[in-house]
Amino acid sequence: MSRPAFDDIYMELAVNLARRSHCLKRHVGAVLTKDTRIISIGYNGPPPGTHNCDEEWPEVGCPRDSKGGCSLAIHAEQNAILYAVKNKTSVEGATLYCTLSPCLACARIIFSMGIRRVIYYKSYAEHKGIATDEGVDFLVKFGVAVEKYAGQLSNATQMI
Ligand SMILES: [Zn+2]
Ligand SMILES: [Zn+2]
């Protein structure tokens, strides 16, 4: 039996967390780890105690901001970081797993918080047919190690 890498295990968790999102626009999950241990998790959605897009606007979808994104949702990466910070957990030197390459706003926060490595599952730019991922470009430019997940999620889930 093959032994899963931590990258496989945490990326699979991020994918499963994405499925919990209430947002109609997009489902994204994130896992923050340090020294191979989980320190926080997140998925995209409105702040607790506000709205659930799918319950409140099941037909029309969530209200959009001027760029066409969900006007209410906090991105998965930010939710993971905020939860850690709120609980006084340092994210300095952490690794972030996310199901979609981070946007520029998230990239700035990821860099500012001292996260050193980012692994993403799908490229937003590829999905949208844009030339480059501006968030990834920003992170790479300022020395954060960014990788597109190259493992096999099937390595993680395998019934014993
Ligand atoms: Zn939404
Ligand atoms: Zn973002």
Side-chain angles (χ1 to χ4, degrees):
M1 197 171 60
S2 69
R3 199 168 158 269
F6 280 115
D7 283 359
D8 300 327
I9 293 169
Y10 296 142
M11 190 55 85
E12 194 202 36
L13 176 57
V15 168
N16 280 325
L17 285 165
R19 296 167 56 212
R20 284 201 50 84
S21 173
H22 281 288
C23 206
L24 292 157
K25 174 103 175 135
R26 191 169 292 124
H27 294 173
V28 183
V31 176
L32 256 182
T33 69
K34 203 156 147 181
D35 305 328
T36 73
R37 308 289 174 113
I38 294 172
I39 56 172
S40 189
I41 59 170
Y43 51 88
N44 65 314
T50 59
H51 302 275
N52 283 329
C53 305
D54 57 347
E55 286 161 13
E56 249 165 281
W57 304 282
E59 268 106 58
V60 290
C62 8
R64 294 296 133 84
D65 64 16
S66 57
K67 286 181 179 165
C70 176
S71 62
L72 296 156
I74 298 176
H75 288 183
E77 302 91 319
Q78 296 186 31
N79 264 329
I81 293 167
L82 286 168
Y83 181 82
V85 171
K86 198 175 174 190
N87 289 285
K88 304 190 170 46
T89 303
S90 166
V91 300
E92 187 91 46
T95 294
L96 177 72
Y97 295 86
C98 39
T99 58
L100 194 64
S101 51
C103 71
L104 192 52
C106 285
R108 288 190 291 253
I109 292 171
I110 290 163
F111 172 74
S112 305
M113 295 304 289
I115 291 168
R116 298 307 307 154
R117 185 174 172 235
V118 174
I119 300 145
Y120 65 91
Y121 187 56
K122 285 194 171 139
S123 158
Y124 180 80
E126 251 170 54
H127 169 72
K128 284 275 179 183
I130 309 168
T132 59
D133 272 300
E134 49 188 5
V136 171
D137 295 346
F138 177 93
L139 291 168
V140 170
K141 184 174 175 190
F142 294 106
V144 178
V146 185
E147 300 158 42
K148 190 170 194 295
Y149 174 67
Q152 286 287 329
L153 288 186
S154 56
N155 288 344
T157 300
Q158 200 174 70
M159 291 303 170
I160 296 165

